[in-house]
Amino acid sequence: MNITIIGTGYVGLVTGTCFAEMGNTVTCVDIDQKKIDNLNKGVIPIYEPGLEELIQQNEKAGRLSFSTSLKDAMKKSNIFLISVGTPESPNGEANMEYVYNVAKEIGKHLDRESVIVNKSTVPVGTAGKVSSIIEEELDKRGVKVKFHVVSNPEFLKEGNAIQDFMRPDRVIIGTDSEFALDILKQLYAPFTMSHDRLITMGVKEAELTKYAANAMLATKISFINEIAHICDELEIDVESVRKGIGADSRIGYSFIYPGAGYGGSCFPKDVKAIIHTAKKAGVNPLVLQSVVARNDIQKTRMFEYIQKKFGSTLEGKTFAVWGLSFKPGTDDMREAPSINLITSIIEAGGKVQAFDPVANEEAAKKFPKEWISTNQLIFFDDNYSALENADALVLMTEWKMFRNPSLSKMKKLMQNLCIFDGRNQYDPAYMRENGFYYKGIGR
C-alpha cells in the first residue's frame, strides 16, 4: 500500500516507520523544511528506542521517504493519516488549527477516492469538521471526489512506542464506511495476526475513546498520589497499601505507583480537553477536575519535602537532580515535574546540579539562560558528577541506571547524605541503615 503520513512528530514518525517496516511505501510529509532536511540526512528529531535504526533501514530499502510537499505525495497515494499536533489552548480546549489546515490542503489536491485517517488526538466531532473542510475545498474546485474520514486513535507509550505499534493491545477504527474499513483492515492485518485486536465503532465513539483512555490512566495516577499524601500525614508506608490494593484483580498494579506527578504530551493536555468537552456538553466533570487539581498539588510535593528538611530559604544549598524527562525512555520535557522542582529550588536560593541520560539538552531549553550562565543550574554528563558537594539527591525520573546506585560513591561525593525519592525507587529501611536521610512519596 502507498501511504502518506502528514506530520513528522512523535506519532507520525513512529506510525510511518512501522507501516514501512511491514512492506508499505510511506511518505512522511511536514511543512518544517529543516526537520525534513534533517530526516533526509538521518537526523531524528525525537528520542525513541529503536526508532532511528528502523528509519534508516526502511529509507535504505526505499520504503520510507520524507517530503515537504503534500501535493506531490498525494499523486501516488489514497490513504492519508493526519498526525499533527493538537496542543492545549489557553482555555484547555484542543487547538485544532493544524488538523484543519491539513484537511484544507487535502481538499485542494484530492483527485481519487481516498481514506483520510485522524491519528491525532482530537475532540468529538472532529471527523465531521474535517469532512466539511475537504468538501468545501472540492466545491471551490468544482469537482466531486469520494472520500472517507476515519478516526484511528493512537495508543503509544513514549519509550515503548515501537513495541506498542507492532504488538498493539487494540486497534480502534471509527467509521461507518465499508470501503474505509476494508482498507484499514488490510493495513493493520500484519499487526493483528496472532489474534484479532481490531475494534470497530462509530467515529465519535473512537474520538472519545482516546481521551477517555488517557483520562482513566491519569485518574489512577492521581488517585494513588492522593493515597500517598494521606499516608504521609498518617506516617504509614504507601508501598504496603499499593501492594494490598493492587493484588485485587479488579484494580491491578498498572499506574498505581506514587510519584511526583504525571507530565508529557498526552495526559495533561488530554484530561483538560475532555473536561472542556464535558462542559460544552453540559456535564460538570467533577472527577476529571479533581485529577488535574491533585496533579498540580503533586508537582509541589517534592519541594515541600525539601523545605520541611532544609527550611524555606535554600541559600547555600546544592541539590543534585537525577532524571529530568517526564518518564524514562524519552527526552520529552513537556509538563515534566522536574521543571517545577528545579524552578522552585532556584527561586528559593538553591543551586541545582542535574543529570538525565538523554534529556539534558531538551531540559536546558525550559529554564532561563541566566540560570545556566551563572551556574545556578548545571547539567552534567554522568549522574555521579552531579552529586559532588550536594546537600541532597532528588530522584525525579525512574531510569533503570538509577535503581541500584553505589552508596560508597555517593558517600564520598555528597556533602550531606540525604535522598528525596520522587519515584519510590529505593528501600527506605536500607537507605536509613546506610546512614542516609530518606524521604519518598508517602514513605
Side-chain angles (χ1 to χ4, degrees):
M1 289 183 163
N2 287 315
I3 305 166
T4 299
I5 307 285
I6 303 134
T8 59
Y10 187 84
V11 174
L13 273 183
V14 172
T15 300
T17 303
C18 289
F19 278 138
E21 179 71 6
M22 290 301 180
N24 299 288
T25 300
V26 179
T27 302
C28 291
V29 178
D30 201 293
I31 60 173
D32 188 331
Q33 183 70 59
K34 184 178 179 181
K35 184 185 284 189
I36 293 299
D37 289 343
N38 283 335
L39 283 165
N40 283 322
K41 294 174 186 175
V43 179
I44 312 304
I46 60 173
Y47 175 81
E48 178 62 37
L51 182 60
E52 185 173 356
E53 295 82 359
L54 275 185
I55 288 176
Q56 291 171 351
Q57 290 168 19
N58 284 282
E59 268 196 292
K60 188 176 180 180
R63 294 189 298 267
L64 181 63
S65 61
F66 302 97
S67 173
T68 56
S69 176
L70 178 56
K71 180 181 178 180
D72 290 346
M74 290 181 68
K75 292 176 182 177
K76 52 190 175 183
S77 175
N78 73 330
I79 306 172
F80 309 104
L81 284 80
I82 302 175
S83 303
V84 295
T86 53
E88 181 185 338
S89 296
N91 65 353
E93 187 177 14
N95 182 342
M96 299 303 296
E97 175 187 359
Y98 306 114
V99 172
Y100 296 156
N101 285 346
V102 170
K104 190 172 184 179
E105 193 70 13
I106 289 173
K108 287 179 179 179
H109 306 294
L110 196 67
D111 62 1
R112 72 197 76 177
E113 186 170 10
S114 300
V115 177
I116 293 96
V117 181
N118 275 332
K119 291 294 290 183
S120 301
T121 302
V122 296
V124 173
T126 297
K129 179 65 174 175
V130 167
S131 294
S132 296
I133 292 171
I134 295 173
E135 199 65 63
E136 286 173 15
E137 293 302 317
L138 292 174
D139 288 344
K140 288 178 185 177
R141 292 164 54 199
V143 297
K144 292 289 183 183
V145 182
K146 200 169 185 179
F147 64 91
H148 314 262
V149 179
V150 176
S151 176
N152 173 220
E154 55 83 17
F155 297 96
L156 305 178
K157 298 187 294 292
E158 291 191 42
N160 199 51
I162 302 296
Q163 178 75 6
D164 286 347
F165 200 99
M166 294 295 192
R167 296 185 178 181
D169 292 327
R170 76 283 208 198
V171 175
I172 289 180
I173 298 173
T175 183
D176 57 4
S177 163
E178 288 297 326
F179 178 86
L181 183 58
D182 286 344
I183 286 179
L184 288 178
K185 280 183 175 179
Q186 292 176 49
L187 188 59
Y188 278 107
F191 306 97
T192 59
M193 292 180 72
S194 61
H195 64 274
D196 188 11
R197 299 182 177 92
L198 198 141
I199 303 172
T200 60
M201 58 182 70
V203 176
K204 290 183 178 180
E205 285 82 356
E207 290 169 338
L208 186 59
T209 295
K210 169 63 178 180
Y211 278 131
N214 279 350
M216 181 69 235
L217 297 175
T219 298
K220 293 186 74 173
I221 293 170
S222 282
F223 170 80
I224 196 64
N225 282 337
E226 188 151 293
I227 296 299
H229 198 159
I230 295 169
C231 288
D232 268 336
E233 300 306 314
L234 297 177
E235 297 185 348
I236 58 180
D237 191 347
V238 72
E239 182 64 9
S240 297
V241 178
R242 183 191 70 80
K243 289 178 180 177
I245 65 175
D248 187 327
S249 61
R250 297 169 300 175
I251 299 171
Y253 292 106
S254 296
F255 286 83
I256 59 165
Y257 292 89
Y262 62 73
S265 63
C266 295
F267 288 4
K269 170 179 70 73
D270 292 352
V271 176
K272 290 176 183 176
I274 196 172
I275 287 172
H276 189 273
T277 297
K279 288 181 176 179
K280 282 183 70 175
V283 176
N284 186 11
L286 298 174
V287 173
L288 296 173
Q289 290 174 140
S290 296
V291 168
V292 174
R294 164 46 62 184
N295 196 58
D296 290 342
I297 291 170
Q298 202 64 23
K299 287 185 174 183
T300 69
R301 294 292 288 156
M302 297 307 295
F303 185 63
E304 289 175 8
Y305 293 153
I306 289 170
Q307 286 193 309
K308 189 173 182 179
K309 171 70 174 173
F310 292 102
S312 58
T313 300
L314 302 179
E315 293 284 348
K317 300 296 182 184
T318 298
F319 297 87
V321 177
W322 281 4
L324 301 169
S325 56
F326 86 95
K327 63 177 282 187
T330 181
D331 62 351
D332 196 337
M333 286 294 299
R334 285 172 287 187
E335 302 279 347
S338 64
I339 298 172
N340 303 67
L341 173 76
I342 291 171
T343 300
S344 296
I345 290 173
I346 293 176
E347 288 180 347
K351 174 183 173 182
V352 173
Q353 298 178 167
F355 168 78
D356 189 285
V358 302
N360 278 358
E361 186 177 340
E362 287 300 313
K365 300 173 184 177
K366 298 292 184 179
F367 302 99
K369 291 181 179 178
E370 56 266 29
W371 287 2
I372 298 172
S373 63
T374 57
N375 289 335
Q376 290 173 281
L377 172 58
I378 304 173
F379 295 94
F380 286 83
D381 292 330
D382 74 274
N383 56 319
Y384 289 109
S385 295
L387 290 177
E388 191 165 355
N389 295 319
D391 291 285
L393 164 64
V394 189
L395 179 71
M396 292 298 288
T397 314
E398 64 275 30
W399 288 93
K400 290 179 181 177
M401 65 181 299
F402 301 147
R403 288 183 182 176
N404 193 24
S406 169
L407 299 190
S408 59
K409 281 186 181 181
M410 295 173 72
K411 289 178 179 180
K412 289 177 183 177
L413 292 167
M414 295 179 71
Q415 184 78 20
N416 293 304
L417 302 183
C418 181
I419 297 175
F420 297 97
D421 187 352
R423 297 298 171 185
N424 286 0
Q425 293 293 288
Y426 305 131
D427 178 3
Y430 179 74
M431 288 297 179
R432 289 163 186 156
E433 286 169 7
N434 280 275
F436 287 83
Y437 170 89
Y438 176 90
K439 181 70 187 83
I441 302 287
R443 309 189 81 186

